[in-house]
Amino acid sequence: MIVIKFTKECMRNICCSLVSKRMSSTSKCKVAVCQFTATNDKSENLTTVQNLVSDAVREKARMVFLPEASDYMASDKNESKSLSESLDGPLMKAYKEIAAQNKIWLSIGGFHEKIDDNTIYNSHIIIDDVGEIKTIYRKVHLFDVTIPEKKIFLRESDINVSGSQILPPIDTPAGALGLAICYDLRFPELSTLQTKLGANILTYPSAFTSSTGRAHWEVLLRARAIENQCYVIAAAQYGRHNKKRVSYGHAMIVDPWGNIKAECPKYSEEMETNQSIAFAEIDCEYMNKIRQEMPVQQHRRNDLYNLSMVLSKKKHIDDNDIFSFADKKILGSTVFYRSDYCYAFTNIRCVVPGHVLIATLRSAPRLVDLTQEEIADLFQTAVAVQRIMEMEHNTVSSTICVQDGHFAGQTVPHVHVHILPRKKGDFERNDDVYTHLANHDKEENLQPVRPLEEMCKEACKLRKYLN
């Protein structure tokens, strides 16, 4: 259950449409992991999904995890291409309606996302409890494997195009999810990066073959949980889909110590049902206890080895985006720059004209909590924004400040950089800027908030520099 509290300051921000919220959630969240036997009948598969979601609702789960190929399992590549749909199609619309009507989050573990006749992605899609798509992960590792003695002849690349991006974790009622699909499970680098970026749950919706499932499924899932000290949720396809394909099943939830907390049956020809659901609580306090008792992440030898993501270029900003800033929400219309790890936005109260902020996309209270990639990206962005603000305000100097911790003057517990373009005589004494900065957002010294229209107009103007 999520409880929302509003302070006086939050109410002021809401009035100016920054929609500040103070949210505190319980540390435990019940989730459901599912398996079923998808076929090439999309309507029948959808009915199965509806039934599983109904079961989850009765058990008061907050989120349902569905397997790879939840939409369909085709008998050949031509059929698969013909059955694929865009995200604007009727099947995705139906998934959204299921989520909204049942007020539950859905992990659509594998959807054949059609972009055009030549481009289909295997996409893991998260839908929230009002029926909105929150994020889309496109599978980066495609299963192209031929093992004649085990009768495995699979080339996923004959149908799908590989994705090109590792996504940061997505916040959900259960926690921060790191998204992956099936074959991604065999690449521990992906899970390590997701954990560095703040994931406390790793997800592997899958359609493991019967033979590879018997050999590797459980041991790989438990290994990912143990080495990352994360929960692992792995929905699965199960049973005989057609003459060519049998899936292993054994959907499960593994805790950060490697214990299986919930599981569905392994494939057996004797099983009478082709769908199963299991439940477990995600307990963030338990995960944090394990990480504190054995601080594996802190013991990594970054001086000897390091794993980093390939940075992409500046991201598109949608005015309807909402960015987190500790317990506050920042409207996309006030954001003028976004990278892989941070974003820059206009300020609700300015110490000097042109005073803007840069915050990390992931909520982290202090610099020491950031990864090397996040730190590098944050300060590269700070330099770029500094140049922009100096050009815009015709200055040749700036104060660049990080208040790192409460006793350093930090009032918002989320890493952020202040950029203040400086002019001669803007303060009686030059270092008075730090006093003003420390006091400008304290309750007893609150200045009137800037009109939202003014902040949006400034952001729009600053975007032009970056374009």
Side-chain angles (χ1 to χ4, degrees):
M1 178 179 179
I2 296 177
V3 180
I4 302 176
K5 303 176 183 178
F6 294 94
T7 64
K8 291 180 179 178
E9 170 61 12
C10 290
M11 290 302 293
R12 292 190 189 99
N13 288 343
I14 290 173
C15 291
C16 73
S17 299
L18 284 183
V19 202
S20 291
K21 297 178 182 178
R22 188 171 299 277
M23 302 176 69
S24 62
S25 60
T26 59
S27 65
K28 296 182 180 180
C29 177
K30 192 173 189 179
V31 300
V33 67
C34 304
Q35 68 182 33
F36 67 95
T37 310
T39 67
N40 57 2
D41 187 334
K42 293 198 289 186
S43 177
E44 182 179 277
N45 298 334
L46 181 61
T47 298
T48 300
V49 168
Q50 290 171 321
N51 293 336
L52 290 167
V53 171
S54 295
D55 291 343
V57 171
R58 280 193 293 272
E59 293 293 326
K60 295 182 171 53
R62 297 287 306 281
M63 189 164 186
V64 177
F65 291 83
L66 297 164
E68 182 183 27
S70 293
D71 49 355
Y72 61 85
M73 187 74 78
S75 57
D76 58 54
K77 63 182 180 181
N78 291 326
E79 183 180 54
S80 184
K81 289 179 179 179
S82 68
L83 291 173
S84 63
E85 293 185 18
S86 72
L87 296 182
D88 297 326
L91 187 54
M92 186 52 62
K93 181 181 178 182
Y95 289 140
K96 291 179 179 180
E97 289 174 351
I98 291 171
Q101 290 169 2
N102 291 280
K103 295 181 174 55
I104 198 165
W105 285 61
L106 295 182
S107 159
I108 308 298
F111 180 85
H112 296 79
E113 180 194 359
K114 183 176 182 179
I115 306 299
D116 55 44
D117 290 339
N118 298 314
T119 309
I120 299 171
Y121 289 109
N122 186 348
S123 298
H124 185 170
I125 299 168
I126 303 298
I127 303 174
D128 68 13
D129 55 1
V130 295
E132 297 294 328
I133 291 178
K134 300 299 291 183
T135 194
I136 304 164
Y137 164 73
R138 296 177 173 115
K139 188 176 182 182
V140 298
H141 300 105
L142 299 185
F143 189 64
D144 286 3
V145 176
T146 300
I147 310 175
E149 60 272 23
K150 294 184 178 181
K151 297 182 179 180
I152 297 176
F153 303 93
L154 293 171
R155 281 187 54 84
E156 192 174 2
S157 61
D158 287 345
I159 301 168
N160 297 322
V161 176
S162 63
S164 59
Q165 187 179 11
I166 299 170
L167 298 184
I170 176 72
D171 288 332
T172 73
L177 297 187
L179 302 186
I181 301 174
C182 199
Y183 191 48
D184 289 332
L185 175 60
R186 295 182 181 272
F187 300 87
E189 300 89 346
L190 175 59
S191 62
T192 301
L193 285 169
Q194 290 172 329
T195 306
K196 285 175 67 176
L197 291 172
N200 51 31
I201 303 170
L202 302 172
T203 57
Y204 297 101
S206 298
F208 255 58
T209 66
S210 181
S211 58
T212 56
R214 286 193 301 272
H216 298 148
W217 175 247
E218 180 179 326
V219 69
L220 284 172
L221 291 172
R222 296 181 71 185
R224 295 295 87 83
I226 293 166
E227 67 199 11
N228 292 288
Q229 298 175 313
C230 283
Y231 281 90
V232 168
I233 301 177
Q237 286 289 343
Y238 169 88
R240 185 168 296 280
H241 308 282
N242 50 52
K243 292 180 180 179
K244 301 178 182 177
R245 187 70 185 268
V246 178
S247 291
Y248 180 65
H250 202 198
M252 68 174 74
I253 299 173
V254 185
D255 75 14
W257 194 247
N259 299 311
I260 299 175
K261 304 301 292 183
E263 58 186 320
C264 297
K266 303 171 186 177
Y267 172 68
S268 168
E269 292 183 358
E270 287 74 36
M271 282 291 294
E272 295 181 357
T273 179
N274 66 351
Q275 64 186 62
S276 302
I277 188 168
F279 302 91
E281 278 191 333
I282 304 300
D283 186 346
C284 290
E285 288 185 1
Y286 173 68
M287 180 196 70
N288 291 334
K289 180 175 181 289
I290 287 174
R291 291 180 173 184
Q292 289 166 5
E293 292 176 347
M294 191 182 295
V296 172
Q297 306 303 324
Q298 297 176 32
H299 293 161
R300 290 189 184 279
R301 288 295 303 272
N302 290 318
D303 58 326
L304 299 179
Y305 55 83
N306 194 20
L307 186 63
S308 61
M309 287 171 56
V310 177
L311 297 180
S312 60
K313 297 180 180 178
K314 170 182 172 291
K315 304 290 186 181
H316 171 73
I317 302 166
D318 190 317
D319 284 350
N320 294 318
D321 286 342
I322 299 291
F323 295 81
S324 294
F325 188 41
D327 60 348
K328 298 171 169 50
K329 301 298 175 186
I330 304 300
L331 292 182
S333 55
T334 67
V335 174
F336 59 89
Y337 180 84
R338 177 184 174 183
S339 68
D340 277 331
Y341 297 106
C342 64
Y343 66 100
F345 58 103
T346 55
N347 202 352
I348 193 170
R349 295 184 182 87
C350 295
V351 171
V352 297
H355 177 188
V356 297
L357 300 176
I358 305 164
T360 53
L361 286 170
R362 180 172 68 89
S363 182
R366 300 197 59 197
L367 284 169
V368 72
D369 300 314
L370 301 180
T371 65
Q372 291 187 1
E373 295 80 16
E374 288 172 316
I375 293 171
D377 187 59
L378 179 66
F379 285 98
Q380 287 168 3
T381 299
V383 172
V385 171
Q386 174 195 2
R387 290 171 178 164
I388 291 166
M389 302 316 296
E390 289 183 0
M391 284 190 290
E392 173 66 13
H393 291 272
N394 194 27
T395 70
V396 292
S397 302
S398 295
T399 292
I400 302 174
C401 178
V402 178
Q403 295 165 299
D404 196 32
H406 175 71
F407 296 110
Q410 184 188 50
T411 56
V412 179
H414 183 143
V415 173
H416 59 284
V417 179
H418 295 264
I419 307 290
L420 300 89
R422 300 294 305 278
K423 290 185 177 180
K424 182 179 180 180
D426 51 14
F427 293 99
E428 184 177 347
R429 293 181 304 172
N430 190 55
D431 284 352
D432 284 349
V433 63
Y434 300 110
T435 302
H436 284 266
L437 189 60
N439 293 327
H440 83 291
D441 57 358
K442 289 186 177 178
E443 189 72 30
E444 64 271 19
N445 298 311
L446 285 180
Q447 309 166 28
V449 298
R450 296 171 65 196
L452 178 62
E453 182 181 0
E454 179 183 308
M455 296 170 66
C456 295
K457 186 176 180 180
E458 181 186 5
C460 184
K461 187 175 183 181
L462 294 174
R463 287 179 192 178
K464 295 178 181 177
Y465 284 98
L466 290 156
N467 290 336

